[in-house]
Amino acid sequence: MNSVEALAPLVVASALAMMVGVEPAPLAILVWTHVAIRLLHLGVYLRGGNAAKGGSVRTILYVSGALVTFVLILVTGWAALK
């Protein structure tokens, strides 16, 4: 469920980024970075153990994904203002 919750802001920000004309290369870099972070997060979760129970590695990955989404929102806003 956590991955689905993190996906919605990324999809909305990505769609808006395409509509306002964000360059494809930075958009792709941000989206694929987010996807890679989420896959690592999933791997840690599926591995189990203390890290899967809310350990610091999983938290760092979750926050990193959220920061990438935030950067995408900033880039989108900047492109919209141009």
Side-chain angles (χ1 to χ4, degrees), residues 16-54:
L16 289 173
M18 287 184 274
M19 285 190 250
V20 299
V22 172
E23 293 292 322
L27 177 58
I29 289 169
L30 289 168
V31 169
W32 283 109
T33 300
H34 185 273
V35 169
I37 290 169
R38 293 306 300 175
L39 288 173
L40 288 170
H41 183 272
L42 176 67
V44 169
Y45 182 77
L46 291 177
R47 184 171 176 241
N50 288 334
K53 295 178 184 172

